[in-house]
């Protein structure tokens, strides 16, 4: 056994319950992934109806060899609970493993409750952005879906069409779309807008993305930040100071005036989303334009965004959709299930025992609670600040 790690050699069994978060339609495991678990000698216990809203009926799980039963039986038999969203209130036995999205850097109170319940909790948000962990990277899978869907949401609300059309009734100019924040979601939004025939521009504070934006056939918006650099650690952006953000907004306002659609996705890990679009910038846009703020759940990139609501200000519609991946539950669950099963497999030794190896970067960085304690230093720091 490695330093600080631990190992269980009992037969492993995972449990999947119906998600209880409002509007959550995804499921943590899809039938196809049961085969992958079986190869690692892991049994699956699924609550009846857990996959229904995402398009996976009970019979499909059963035909792959999973036990489909009621929630109490799942909880009694499973020692590893797989969730999309880890429930706010723990319903676990001591030493159960719980794996899922639990937003530990924004919701450390949830983490504390799992520590009190003596569960071993892993956060899928904390999977490192490394090559080895790519197949477990839930943030990337879900961001791809969010970026795609944001464009459909915008197209649906826009009183114009996206593609150029030449008809007997005259020619129609293509819609102009600006995507601010060209990470995983933003690049997917650019690609989707292009597929729908829009003229697309993209902007990001990280200079490295210029090439990626251009390779998708979009124009890179150049903004002079007065020498400030937006590249932070691990390929993420770093927060800019207020002066630089003001500079950014002034130049962005001129670009935004020309757009029919603006999709914002800007985020900085562990922080509130940067405010990039002010009320004045919205007022300068043409009536009928649409803003889709994918950062709505993190406070929004637009001053007027209200999470989960549609706002109309001087003819401009500002949409703040929340939990967007859950609106494409079939494919979101398929991708999520693959990510979480690969993550679990990484902790299963060849002999089928669970090996929580603290020398493994993926295990170490995602482990949040264990033995009644919060063990993740990033979450510990937050809890100390909030205490
Ligand atoms: P994210 O969700 O944290 O942020 C979205 C985008 O907003 C980022 O591109 C960021 O640069 C941008 N942003 C932040 N502040 C901004 C501002 N003030 N103005 C404009 N844009 C701003 O990012 P993400 O989608 O999770 O991806 C972050 C990085 O991680 C990317 O470089 C991506 O390619 C990389 N990544 C690497 C791997 C891997 O190596 N396995 C996997 C996924 C992502």
């Amino acid at each position: 056994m490695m330093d600080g790690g631990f190992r269980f050699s009992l037969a492993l069994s995972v449990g999947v319950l119906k998600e209880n978060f409002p509007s959550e339609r995804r499921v943590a495991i899809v039938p196809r992934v049961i085969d992958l678990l079986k190869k690692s000698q892991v049994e699956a216990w699924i609550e009846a109806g857990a996959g229904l809203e995402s398009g996976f009926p009970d019979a499909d799980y059963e035909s792959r060899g999973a036990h489909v039963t009621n929630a109490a039986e799942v909880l009694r038999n499973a020692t590893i609970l797989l969730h999309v969203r880890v429930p706010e209130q723990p319903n676990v036995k001591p030493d159960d493993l719980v794996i899922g999205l639990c937003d530990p850097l924004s919701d450390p109170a949830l983490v504390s409750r799992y520590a009190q319940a003596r569960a071993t909790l892993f956060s899928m948000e904390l999977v490192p952005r490394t090559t080895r962990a790519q197949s477990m990277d839930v943030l990337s899978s879900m961001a791809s879906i969010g970026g795609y869907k944001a464009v459909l949401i915008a197209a649906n609300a826009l009183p114009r069409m996206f593609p150029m059309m030449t008809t007997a009734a005259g020619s129609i100019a293509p819609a102009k779309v600006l995507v601010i924040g060209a990470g995983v979601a933003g690049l997917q939004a650019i690609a989707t807008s292009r597929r729908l025939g829009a003229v697309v521009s993209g902007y990001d504070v990280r200079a490295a993305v210029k090439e990626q934006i251009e390779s998708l056939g979009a124009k890179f918006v150049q903004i002079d930040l007065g020498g400030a650099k937006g590249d932070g650690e691990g390929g993420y952006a770093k927060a800019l100071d207020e002066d630089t953000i003001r500079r950014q907004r002034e130049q962005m306002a001129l670009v935004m005036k020309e757009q029919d659609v603006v999709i914002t996705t800007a985020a900085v890990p562990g922080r509130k989303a940067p405010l990039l679009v002010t009320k004045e910038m919205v007022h300068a846009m043409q009536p009928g334009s649409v803003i889709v703020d994918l950062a709505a759940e993190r406070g929004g990139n637009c001053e007027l965004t209200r999470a989960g609501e549609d706002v109309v200000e001087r003819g401009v519609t500002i949409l703040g959709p929340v939990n967007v991946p859950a609106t494409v539950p079939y494919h979101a669950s398929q991708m999520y299930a693959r990510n979480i099963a690969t993550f679990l497999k990484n902790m299963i030794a060849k002999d089928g025992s669970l090996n929580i190896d603290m020398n493994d970067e993926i295990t170490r960085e995602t482990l949040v609670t264990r033995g009644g304690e919060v063990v993740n230093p990033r979450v510990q720091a937050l809890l100390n600040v909030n205490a």
Side-chain angles (χ1 to χ4, degrees):
M1 190 170 72
M2 304 292 195
D3 292 347
F6 51 106
R7 199 161 174 144
F8 291 103
S9 43
L10 295 173
L12 300 178
S13 50
V14 296
V16 173
L17 298 170
K18 279 187 204 160
E19 292 288 315
N20 65 7
F21 187 81
S23 85
E24 185 52 76
R25 296 170 61 201
R26 292 169 290 180
V27 61
I29 288 292
V30 301
R32 208 195 288 174
V33 161
I34 307 275
D35 295 343
L36 197 79
L37 296 173
K38 276 202 301 207
K39 272 192 201 146
S40 300
Q41 303 159 56
V42 178
E43 275 200 347
W45 292 79
I46 312 284
E47 181 180 357
L52 220 50
E53 282 200 55
S54 34
F56 301 102
D58 293 344
D60 289 6
Y61 289 96
E62 276 169 327
S63 68
R64 304 262 177 177
H67 307 275
V68 176
T69 179
N70 59 37
E73 278 294 292
V74 172
L75 287 167
R76 200 168 63 78
N77 286 287
T79 49
I80 304 172
L81 295 166
L82 304 181
H83 296 282
V84 175
R85 289 175 184 263
V86 171
E88 279 288 329
Q89 297 305 329
N91 186 2
V92 290
K93 308 181 285 301
D95 297 327
D96 273 355
L97 238 72
V98 180
I99 309 176
L101 296 169
C102 53
D103 211 0
L105 300 180
S106 304
D107 191 2
L110 177 147
V111 169
S112 295
R113 288 192 286 274
Y114 278 80
Q116 276 161 22
R118 300 193 66 82
T120 300
L121 174 66
F122 286 93
S123 154
M124 289 303 290
E125 290 98 336
L126 299 182
V127 168
R129 250 72 194 274
T130 57
T131 308
R132 190 165 72 87
Q134 242 168 5
S135 53
M136 314 168 198
D137 186 353
V138 163
L139 290 186
S140 288
S141 330
M142 297 303 116
S144 305
I145 294 180
Y148 156 81
K149 192 65 189 274
V151 177
L152 303 192
I153 293 170
N156 202 30
L158 192 69
R160 311 167 63 107
M161 291 195 284
F162 264 46
M164 183 177 87
M165 261 187 218
T166 309
T167 75
S171 295
I172 287 168
K176 290 194 191 121
V177 176
L178 169 68
V179 176
I180 305 178
V184 181
L187 290 173
Q188 195 55 246
I190 291 174
T192 307
S193 303
R194 290 276 302 143
R195 285 184 202 119
L196 283 180
V199 172
V200 187
S201 316
Y203 170 72
D204 198 288
V205 73
R206 290 178 298 117
V209 297
K210 176 175 188 288
E211 227 170 83
Q212 294 167 17
I213 291 174
E214 288 173 348
S215 72
L216 293 170
K219 184 171 164 249
F220 178 69
V221 174
Q222 201 84 46
I223 286 186
D224 174 11
L225 296 181
K229 293 261 184 293
D231 300 77
E233 277 174 29
Y236 284 111
K238 70 169 192 238
L240 301 176
D241 61 49
E242 241 337 284
D243 267 359
T244 312
I245 291 251
R246 196 174 323 115
R247 215 182 159 105
Q248 191 184 31
R249 282 186 205 135
E250 280 165 13
Q251 295 168 68
M252 190 65 77
L254 301 174
V255 184
M256 281 186 58
K257 264 179 150 156
E258 309 292 320
Q259 308 298 322
D260 300 307
V261 170
V262 175
I263 295 173
T264 65
T265 78
V268 177
R271 283 176 174 255
K272 204 170 162 289
L275 182 58
L276 305 178
V277 179
T278 61
K279 194 163 151 182
E280 290 70 34
M281 289 160 82
V282 174
H283 289 169
M285 291 179 76
Q286 294 299 320
S289 316
V290 173
I291 298 176
V292 177
D293 190 345
L294 272 191
E297 276 156 296
R298 302 245 160 232
N301 291 139
C302 174
E303 189 179 354
L304 298 173
T305 298
R306 287 210 293 268
E309 291 183 32
D310 303 352
V311 174
V312 180
E313 170 94 2
R314 298 200 191 168
V316 178
T317 303
I318 301 119
L319 305 170
V322 293
N323 204 10
V324 178
T327 66
V328 192
Y330 184 92
H331 282 131
S333 303
Q334 187 177 304
M335 291 163 92
Y336 186 88
R338 188 83 198 185
N339 292 145
I340 200 169
T342 313
F343 175 82
L344 177 61
K345 198 163 167 271
N346 185 53
M347 293 193 290
I348 299 177
K350 280 208 177 73
D351 64 0
S353 61
L354 185 71
N355 180 20
I356 297 182
D357 173 6
M358 298 306 280
N359 290 334
D360 181 315
E361 184 197 21
I362 300 171
T363 305
R364 188 177 60 243
E365 297 228 339
T366 50
L367 179 62
V368 183
T369 71
R370 179 182 147 196
E373 306 280 337
V374 176
V375 293
N376 186 289
R378 291 165 77 190
V379 184
Q380 275 170 348
L382 275 174
L383 284 167
N384 290 340
V385 169
N386 294 341

